[in-house]
Structure formats: C-alpha cells, structure tokens
C-alpha cells in the first residue's frame, strides 16, 4: 500500500495514523507539508517532503481572490513535488489530505488513478441577506445557520458575503476532485452542498483518550506561583482552552462572564490556556490581541490573583490543566468542533458549553454536560456557577457520562474509520459515530436541572 498524505500543517488530523502506517509492513507512506509545518517531532524518521510557494500572493490581487491565488500557488508547489515523485517511479494508491489550502488542486492531474480522500472539515455558509441586515431577528439559541453572522457584536456586510462565496470556489473544486470525503461530525458534513453529500462519510479521526483521564493527584503551578490541585473544593478551578483566544471560541463572552463568577465564588481560580494569534476571524481594531482587549474592558473587575493566563503550553501541561479542572468551559460559535471539547470530556471534566449545533452532537444538557445559551455572558456565568454548585454525586454522573460518550472516539477507532476509506474493502462500511438526538429545551436527562437551557427564558 502506497499512501501520500499532505496538508499545510503536515496532516495534523492524521499525524498519528500516518506514523503508524509508515511502520506497518507493506505500507509506503510519504508526507508533504509546508516549509513552516512542525513536521513529526515524535517520529523524526518519517519521510516528509516540504514545499514552499515560489512567490507570495500578488499585492494588487482582488481581495475576494487572494485565498484562491494562494491555493493555486500552494497547489502548484505540491504538483511539482508530485511530478518529481512520478518521474522516480513512485505511484500512490491513495492520497489523503486536508485540501483547505489548495495543496491537492492538481493531484489528480499528476496521479489520475490514485484514490483521492479529502478531509472535508468546512464549507462556508451564510444566512439570507435579510437576516444579515437585521430585518429578520433570530434568537441565537435557535440559530439555524453556521458561524457567519452568528455574533451580533460583529456585523457582517454584503462584501463579506461576496468574499466567502468566492472562497467556496476552492472547496467546490476540492469536492469535485476527490473520490471520497471525510467529515468529523454530522453537522460539519451537513454544511456542504447537497450534490456532494453522498461523497462524504462521517468519521472522526480520534483523540488520544487512552492517555486522557482523571488524576486525583494532578497539580499545576501558575505563572504567579499559585499551586492548583485536582479535587480541591476549597479552591475550585475553572478552565478555558483554545488554540488562540478569540471571539470564534467566545473568549470575549467568557471574559465578560468572569466578574460575576468571581464575585459569587471568592476562592475560585480561573486558568486560561491559549495564544494571542488569530486562528479564525480577525484581530481587534483597537488592541494588539483579544486578550489585551478584554483585559482592558473587564480586567479592573477581576481578581488578578485568581486569574491565570498560561499562554500556549506543551501537551503534557495541557492535560494537567484539564485534570485539575473543577469546571471546564467550552464556548464557541457554530463552527468546527474542537478536539479540546472532546479531550475535556475524555478527561472527565464537568463541561459547560455553548448550546451550538456541533456541541449538541456530543453533549446533552444535564446528561454529560451543561449547555448555555450562546453569546450571553450572564448565561455563561450562570452555567459556571451552576456547575460549581453541583453535589459531588451530580458532578460524578456528568463526568462518567462524558467519558462514556467519547469512548468510541479514540485513536484506534479513528484509525479504523479512516483506514477503511484509504484502503476500501468491498462490502465494508466505515464505522460512524452515534449521533445525539436533536436537543430540545427540557431534554435534561434527569439531574433535576431546570427545564430550559441555562440563560434561556422559559
């Protein structure tokens, strides 16, 4: 079996399985990644070829087309590598890739007989113009769309709508080119156009749940020297994690909720993990980053001795943060479901999360977590306060149910799911994840919580 994997970040979703395939007898695996990609530090012998576009996007390029030109430049750079491999006699059976940056645009032109498997993580969608312009009001707790236009604090313009429609040109090409697509959740699959849905299989790549779980002896030291421990009811720990601190993961809502929480819980410490860059969206116009902006807004209302910013941390430290957590907060727009949400559940955290469609696919209010009405700071605060007030038996029930819910989303199952698509067997079916029933207000699974989502009016 010869397999080619590539992505700008060197197959982040498939990094663990690519390394395992490389060590499997009969497999020949080559990775292609951007010259800035971290590569495979845990597997230095992995065959990784790096590419670099031969020039940047033209400075006079139309703004709508900058992403497309960048994708063409990336696709061109990768195609040159593929042509070199072909001249040497190398022929992949399968090409597995995240196509969102354009690397596989010309893969089928070089290797037309290779099976092209795309990771279909996202397709941009926007509400009708009447919704964008505010002529039609929709409660965000009932929002039927995705991320665009979701947060009233950041209005969307017609120019934005035209821009994302242009961005989708790349995704449509990717859908047309691939033989099969993979989406990690049912909701993410559903964002793609109907004519392509039959091509897409729901298969999560898996999280490292074997190495995740509670540790009653876990302890972390904050930058100020504060020692925070697991299972310390006299000093509970609220945790928040994101790759970068930004509105897409509702960092602004979280920060605005903290004064109320700290006022009601004089001993609660808050641990915040994440960088100051931008993964999604844009930087604030009046500050260097969202952390500084939100501290300028609400910092004077916070107890700085109980508010700890750790920045980006190594994975081992991140695991300990989850293990000391009394309440883990996962707030998000309706967007790609983060690994951190699943990893917090696998660790056995009491999770307070936004009642957004992708979250409801894995979290049921009152059964394995608490859901709060999105974009509402007081709802988020009430959710944290409610979680801190749970009896030990109630918290334990949520924790055990959360771990059970994501037990089938481990790396072994993830590898089996992806491998069944990379090496299709006649008559075989890819295992898919169970789907939570559609969450309706009042479906709280019996913890005695009130019947509406936290922050929602009855």
């Amino acid at each position: 079996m010869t397999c080619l994997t590539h992505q700008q970040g060197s197959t982040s979703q498939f990094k663990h399985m690519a390394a395992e395939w490389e060590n499997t007898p009969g497999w020949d695996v080559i990775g292609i990644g951007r010259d800035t990609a971290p590569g495979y530090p845990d597997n230095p012998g992995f065959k990784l070829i790096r590419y670099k576009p031969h020039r940047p996007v033209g400075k006079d390029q139309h703004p709508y087309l900058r992403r497309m030109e960048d994708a063409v430049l990336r696709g061109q750079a990768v195609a040159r590598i593929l042509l070199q491999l072909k001249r040497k006699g190398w022929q992949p059976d399968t090409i597995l890739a995240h196509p969102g940056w354009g690397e596989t645009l010309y893969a089928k032109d070089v290797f037309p007989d290779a099976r092209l498997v795309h990771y279909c993580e996202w397709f941009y969608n926007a509400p009708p113009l009447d919704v964008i312009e505010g002529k039609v009001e929709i409660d965000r707790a009932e929002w039927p769309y995705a991320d665009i236009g979701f947060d009233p604090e950041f209005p969307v313009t017609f120019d934005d709508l035209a821009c994302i429609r242009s961005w989708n040109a790349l995704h449509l090409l990717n859908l047309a080119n691939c033989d099969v697509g993979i989406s990690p959740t049912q909701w993410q699959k559903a964002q793609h156009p109907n004519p392509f849905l039959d091509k897409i299989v729901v298969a999560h790549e898996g999280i490292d749940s074997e190495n995740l779980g509670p540790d009653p002896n876990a302890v972390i030291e904050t930058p100020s020297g504060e020692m925070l421990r697991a299972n310390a009811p006299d000093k509970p720990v609220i945790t928040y994690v994101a790759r970068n601190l930004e509105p897409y993961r509702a960092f602004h809502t979280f920060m605005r909720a903290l004064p109320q929480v700290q006022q009601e819980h004089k001993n609660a410490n808050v641990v915040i993990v994440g960088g100051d860059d931008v993964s999604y969206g844009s930087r604030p116009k009046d500050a260097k980053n969202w952390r500084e902006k939100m501290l300028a807004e609400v910092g004077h209302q916070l107890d700085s001795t109980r508010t700890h910013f750790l920045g980006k941390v190594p994975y081992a430290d991140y695991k300990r943060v989850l293990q000391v957590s009394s309440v883990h907060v996962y707030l998000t727009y309706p967007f790609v479901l983060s690994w951190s949400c699943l990893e917090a559940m696998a660790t056995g955290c009491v999770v307070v999360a936004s009642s957004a469609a992708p979250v409801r696919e894995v979290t049921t209010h009152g059964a394995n977590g608490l859901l709060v009405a999105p974009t509402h700071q007081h709802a988020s605060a009430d959710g944290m306060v409610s979680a801190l007030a749970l009896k030990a038996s109630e918290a334990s029930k949520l924790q055990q149910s959360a771990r059970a819910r994501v037990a089938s989303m481990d790396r072994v199952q993830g590898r089996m799911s992806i491998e069944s698509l990379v090496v299709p067997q006649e008559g075989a079916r890819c295992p898919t994840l169970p789907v939570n029933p559609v969450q309706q207000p009042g479906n709280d699974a019996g913890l005695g919580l009130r019947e509406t989502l936290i922050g929602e009016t009855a």
Side-chain angles (χ1 to χ4, degrees):
M1 176 68 192
T2 54
C3 182
L4 181 70
T5 67
H6 53 89
Q7 180 190 340
Q8 85 153 350
S10 188
T11 60
S12 298
Q13 284 81 10
F14 310 119
K15 185 176 292 187
H16 63 282
M17 59 187 76
E20 291 174 9
W21 288 334
E22 188 215 13
N23 294 318
T24 301
W27 282 68
D28 183 11
V29 183
I30 294 178
I32 297 178
R34 180 68 200 264
D35 59 324
T36 55
Y40 293 78
D42 297 330
N43 189 16
F46 185 83
K47 290 177 287 187
L48 175 63
I49 303 172
R50 297 183 181 276
Y51 77 89
K52 181 180 181 180
H54 72 281
R55 66 169 178 84
V57 174
K59 63 179 181 179
D60 295 325
Q61 178 61 272
H62 193 290
Y64 295 177
L65 298 177
R66 292 185 64 82
R67 283 198 181 187
M68 191 64 196
E69 184 180 357
D70 183 59
V72 168
L73 290 165
R74 291 170 182 266
Q76 186 181 46
V78 170
R80 288 171 176 151
I81 293 173
L82 301 184
L83 287 167
Q84 291 174 1
L85 290 171
K86 188 172 186 176
R87 292 187 193 106
K88 294 177 182 179
W90 199 83
Q91 170 71 43
D93 296 303
T94 298
I95 299 172
L96 171 66
H98 189 313
W101 294 271
E103 282 88 348
T104 58
L105 269 176
Y106 313 113
K108 276 286 195 177
D109 297 292
V110 181
F111 294 117
D113 296 327
R115 180 176 174 82
L116 182 57
V117 181
H118 275 166
Y119 187 72
C120 300
E121 185 174 32
W122 194 243
F123 192 90
Y124 291 100
N125 286 288
L129 191 58
D130 283 353
V131 175
I132 292 297
E133 292 179 343
K135 296 175 182 177
V136 177
E137 293 288 340
I138 300 177
D139 187 334
R140 277 1 185 220
E142 305 295 333
W143 185 255
Y145 309 107
D147 55 322
I148 305 299
F150 176 73
D151 194 334
E153 186 172 340
F154 305 102
V156 174
T157 66
F158 181 82
D159 192 60
D160 296 323
L161 300 184
C163 190
I164 66 168
R165 183 173 292 280
S166 302
W167 291 351
N168 274 339
L170 170 63
H171 300 303
L172 288 169
L173 281 170
N174 291 332
L175 288 166
N177 288 342
C178 71
D179 294 292
V180 64
I182 303 167
S183 281
T185 67
Q186 298 284 349
W187 184 78
Q188 283 168 251
K189 172 183 175 177
Q191 302 312 301
H192 294 79
N194 286 335
F196 296 102
L197 292 182
D198 287 344
K199 264 192 175 184
I200 302 174
V201 175
V202 175
H204 197 278
E205 62 273 11
I207 58 171
D208 191 17
S209 56
E210 286 188 0
N211 295 307
L212 293 166
D215 179 359
N217 299 313
V219 58
I220 65 170
E221 182 177 0
T222 69
S224 64
E226 186 80 17
M227 306 301 290
L228 301 176
R229 305 178 187 278
N231 303 316
D234 59 327
K235 191 190 286 187
V237 180
I238 298 169
T239 55
Y240 172 98
V241 172
R243 184 189 312 167
N244 286 298
L245 308 178
E246 55 191 334
Y248 255 73
R249 299 309 184 190
F251 174 67
H252 57 320
T253 303
F254 174 74
M255 287 293 289
R256 289 166 182 159
L258 288 183
Q260 176 184 335
V261 177
Q262 289 191 338
Q263 182 65 30
E264 296 195 32
H265 284 270
K266 301 296 185 182
N267 295 325
N269 279 257
V270 181
V271 174
I272 301 168
V273 173
D276 289 331
D277 296 324
V278 174
S279 298
Y280 316 106
S282 58
R283 293 185 181 275
K285 294 181 173 59
D286 53 354
K288 287 196 301 185
N289 54 63
W290 289 101
R291 176 180 56 84
E292 291 188 8
K293 177 176 175 59
M294 296 315 302
L295 282 174
E297 180 180 325
V298 302
H300 64 286
Q301 303 175 52
L302 299 176
D303 182 344
S304 61
T305 66
R306 295 188 288 133
T307 308
H308 313 283
F309 288 90
L310 273 56
K312 292 185 177 181
V313 300
Y315 188 72
D317 294 345
Y318 158 67
K319 283 170 56 177
R320 282 191 290 274
V321 168
L322 295 181
Q323 288 168 335
V324 303
S325 178
S326 307
V327 175
H328 181 74
V329 182
Y330 177 67
L331 303 179
T332 183
Y333 289 1
F335 194 55
V336 172
L337 183 66
S338 304
W339 279 359
S340 66
C341 175
L342 305 176
E343 289 169 333
M345 294 173 72
T347 302
C349 295
V350 173
V351 176
V352 173
S354 298
S355 181
V359 180
R360 293 196 298 269
E361 199 163 317
V362 295
T363 306
T364 302
H365 182 58
N368 57 15
L370 303 182
L371 297 180
V372 299
T375 71
H376 293 285
Q377 67 188 63
H378 296 300
S380 298
D382 290 346
M384 288 182 254
V385 170
S386 296
L388 289 170
L390 289 173
K391 297 177 182 177
S393 59
E394 295 172 333
S396 178
K397 180 178 178 181
L398 290 178
Q399 293 165 328
Q400 292 176 29
S401 296
R403 296 198 71 201
R405 175 62 184 88
V406 298
S408 63
M409 303 175 76
D410 62 10
R411 285 186 170 180
V412 173
Q413 291 296 321
R415 178 182 172 183
M416 289 173 56
S417 298
I418 305 303
E419 198 167 300
S420 70
L421 299 172
V422 170
V423 191
Q425 303 294 322
E426 187 175 351
R429 296 186 63 187
C430 175
T432 56
L433 298 173
V435 182
N436 273 358
V438 175
Q439 183 88 38
Q440 299 294 340
N443 181 15
D444 74 4
L447 262 189
L449 300 170
R450 60 193 181 86
E451 291 190 346
T452 51
L453 298 178
I454 297 171
E456 212 176 44
T457 55

